[in-house]
DNA sequence: ACTCCTTGTGCGGATTGTCTGCACAGCGTA
DNA sequence: TACGCTGTGCAGACAATCCGCACAAGGAGT
């Protein structure tokens, strides 16, 4: 029941293949395979279901993986507490946020933390809201910053603790200078050229479903994985798009126009609730919340 | 940060010496010493204070030991959950109870569990209430059955969860047949010969402090580590004693006489609250409570 | 003051555990 | 059907761990 073995199982739950686990741990696949076999005999139960050339976790495997994440969390907490003999929070905190939240929240957060808590090292990764919850649950990050729409299409995990940060209005983005900045009716834009995010992402779904609810299928003229490229496309007058206000970098010459029927997403942070997050994580969280309170 | 290493630290916190830890784990002292040294470098902090030929835990050592116990508990929980694929609670539960509670509670509990939950294996150890809390906190047992007097000389640990079982009156024990069974005034027995438990134990303190409060110093004619020997001594007419009702085995020809100023102790079970005990432990606990409800 | 006992900790040497590289079997796809 | 990808065994190399022993240091008893 080595922590390394438990981490292998937890990673396997998230990554799906033995080879990916091996790559993540800088090991050979055979080493991972052997360790998982040892873990199976130690547990006295079938952890992996070998179906052909693929491997899946059995219910017992999922159970142990869940416990493993708690144990690994507790281990991280212990290490952090040893790093801070004075009681001052210290150690490593892994955060994931969606693209626009990194610019608007994570970067200021990093600056603030460097001043107030130099003993805390914060790593930030970009992660789409669609994948954030699972990654958090799998222990890949300690804090995620993600967003939900008010219609509540997401399921709330009771083992996760959530902390509201801010409300973010979705607006229409048009090239500057805009003819006028009054609220716009989406149905009037059925013939416009749209540019949106890559298929399957959070914002891609948002634009298409919103347009469909307005009664038309959007004509897609651009698909970009970065908002910067998308904004450049809009700036050039080649398309328009729907974006949350947070995603609009004011370096680009685009104009936001509010929607006639407003659409608001709620940005929030989340952590695992079990066990209680270590002091450093809690400090990052409260700093993050204190950053968003001045922002309306 | 091996679980073995963490257990060594946790055991060292409880046992005090490296040799005792080595004996408990069936290892040589040098092996334990080496592993603790590795743990110290892994933790990056001074865990042990080498003062002369003795070793004590530093604050950081105590911190890590506390985390270690949580981790080891979680590991035990995981193992138990893997042993019960059907959801039926299964696995090993370690219980400690004071002498008379074993006969009155633990033995019936074992019988009941063998019928209702054969997948649960229960081990019972005798432990004086004075040492029970510490042993529970150190992770040596999963459930303790202990007792407190109503005057509340014990400190309640908030990380421990307690479950009241029954109230137990302290009575005077005299040889049978007794002249009468009416309530007795302790002050009238200042010249009697007393037999009590070994020095430093819970019941030894009880008798002496109660007699002193009644205004006299008891004349000790017998000290026994087992209640059976003490009862035999009383039975033979050589002494009298104070015992909780629960401690009186009716195989011995002794008579209980209530005290004029009643003294009641409260028997209760306790578990560690963090993390939540595994299903098997919770089952044992509820079975134990269901056993005591018919007993007034 | 002296000895004796106990405690913790190093040092070889044997044992065990773990990783790599390769080879092989099974399955999906072009 | 042939190729690529998956996971898994096997020998060999390497590291971790443990034992037995010896040694230093502090306490208890004479």
């Amino acid at each position: 029941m080595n922590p390394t073995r438990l981490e292998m199982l937890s990673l396997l739950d998230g990554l799906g293949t033995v080879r990916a686990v091996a790559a993540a741990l800088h090991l050979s696949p055979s080493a991972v395979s052997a360790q998982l076999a040892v873990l199976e005999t130690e547990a006295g139960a079938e952890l992996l279901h070998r179906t052909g050339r693929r491997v899946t976790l059995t219910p017992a495997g999922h159970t142990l993986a869940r416990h493993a994440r708690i144990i690994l969390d507790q281990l991280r907490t212990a290490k952090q507490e040893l790093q801070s003999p004075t009681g001052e929070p210290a150690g490593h905190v892994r955060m994931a946020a969606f693209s626009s939240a990194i610019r608007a929240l994570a970067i200021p957060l990093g600056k603030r933390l460097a001043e107030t808590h130099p003993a805390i090292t914060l790593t930030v990764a970009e992660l789409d809201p669609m994948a954030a919850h699972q990654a958090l649950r799998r222990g890949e990050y300690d804090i995620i910053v993600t967003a939900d729409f008010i219609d509540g299409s997401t399921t709330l995990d009771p083992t996760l603790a959530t902390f509201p940060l801010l409300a973010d209005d979705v607006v229409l983005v048009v090239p500057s200078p805009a003819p006028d900045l009054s609220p716009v009716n989406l149905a009037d834009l059925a013939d416009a050229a749209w540019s949106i995010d890559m298929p399957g992402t959070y914002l891609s779904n948002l634009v298409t479903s919103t347009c469909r609810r307005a009664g038309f299928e959007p004509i897609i003229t651009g698909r970009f994985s970065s908002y910067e490229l998308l904004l450049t496309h809009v700036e050039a007058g080649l398309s328009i798009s729907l974006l949350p206000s947070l995603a609009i970098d004011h370096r680009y010459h685009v104009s936001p126009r509010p929607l006639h029927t407003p659409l608001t997403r709620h940005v929030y942070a989340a952590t695992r609730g079990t066990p209680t997050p270590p002091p450093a994580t809690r400090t990052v969280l409260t700093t993050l919340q204190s950053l968003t309170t001045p922002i309306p």
Side-chain angles (χ1 to χ4, degrees), chain A:
Chain A
M1 283 273 173
N2 223 286
T4 31
R5 283 197 265 265
L6 292 176
E7 187 169 17
M8 285 177 184
L9 186 68
S10 173
L11 279 173
L12 182 64
D13 189 18
L15 299 171
T17 76
V18 172
R19 300 188 90 88
V21 175
L25 295 175
H26 305 287
L27 289 176
S28 70
S30 60
V32 175
S33 177
Q35 292 304 310
L36 286 173
V38 172
L39 188 64
E40 231 170 353
T41 63
E42 278 181 338
E46 294 276 325
L47 262 36
L48 279 67
H49 203 204
R50 274 97 173 170
T51 160
R53 78 180 181 193
R54 189 145 296 172
V55 75
T56 12
L57 268 71
T58 61
H62 278 110
T63 301
L64 186 55
R66 198 175 57 247
H67 284 283
R69 284 187 274 270
I70 298 175
I71 292 167
L72 294 171
D73 262 337
Q74 196 69 43
L75 222 41
R76 268 191 292 270
T77 304
K79 281 180 192 163
Q80 285 201 5
E81 208 153 312
L82 288 174
Q83 280 180 36
S84 53
T86 63
E88 190 71 12
H92 196 75
V93 179
R94 306 161 301 164
M95 186 170 121
F98 56 91
S99 162
S100 51
I102 289 180
R103 184 169 40 76
L105 296 175
I107 304 290
L109 173 68
K111 284 185 184 173
R112 172 74 65 90
L113 279 174
E115 297 164 5
T116 58
H117 294 88
I120 296 179
T121 56
L122 179 73
T123 60
V124 181
E126 186 190 340
L127 200 65
D128 195 80
M130 305 282 281
H133 270 91
Q134 286 191 343
L136 176 66
R137 228 178 289 126
R138 279 174 189 144
E140 297 171 22
Y141 302 100
D142 302 311
I143 301 177
I144 58 167
V145 175
T146 180
D148 269 354
F149 281 90
I150 208 161
D151 58 356
S153 59
T154 53
T155 58
L156 277 179
D157 189 328
T159 69
L160 261 43
T162 60
F163 305 88
L165 293 178
L166 51 88
D168 192 17
D169 284 325
V170 175
V171 295
L172 185 76
V173 191
V174 296
S176 280
D180 70 303
L181 290 175
S182 60
V184 69
N185 205 333
L186 263 191
D188 299 340
L189 299 164
D191 298 328
W194 293 84
S195 62
I196 61 174
D197 207 338
M198 300 298 278
T201 57
Y202 170 77
L203 263 177
S204 166
N205 295 347
L206 163 69
V207 173
T208 51
S209 68
T210 308
C211 287
R212 275 175 199 156
R213 237 178 306 151
F216 65 97
E217 186 73 22
I219 302 161
I220 312 295
T221 60
R223 278 200 182 271
F224 307 99
S225 60
S226 89
Y227 294 160
E228 289 73 24
L229 285 178
L230 190 148
L231 287 171
T232 309
H233 201 252
V234 172
E235 191 179 39
L238 298 173
S239 62
I240 62 173
S241 187
L242 282 178
L243 280 184
S245 306
L246 211 63
I248 302 174
D249 190 337
H250 297 293
R251 269 185 286 237
Y252 296 86
H253 296 94
V254 294
S255 297
R257 291 188 61 182
L259 298 186
H260 201 266
T261 55
L263 190 63
T264 307
R265 67 170 182 178
H266 294 273
V267 179
Y268 61 94
T271 64
R272 286 181 295 282
T274 51
T276 309
T281 300
R282 288 202 300 273
T283 302
V284 173
L285 206 54
T286 51
T287 308
L288 186 58
Q289 284 189 293
S290 74
L291 273 178
T292 55
T293 36
I295 299 174

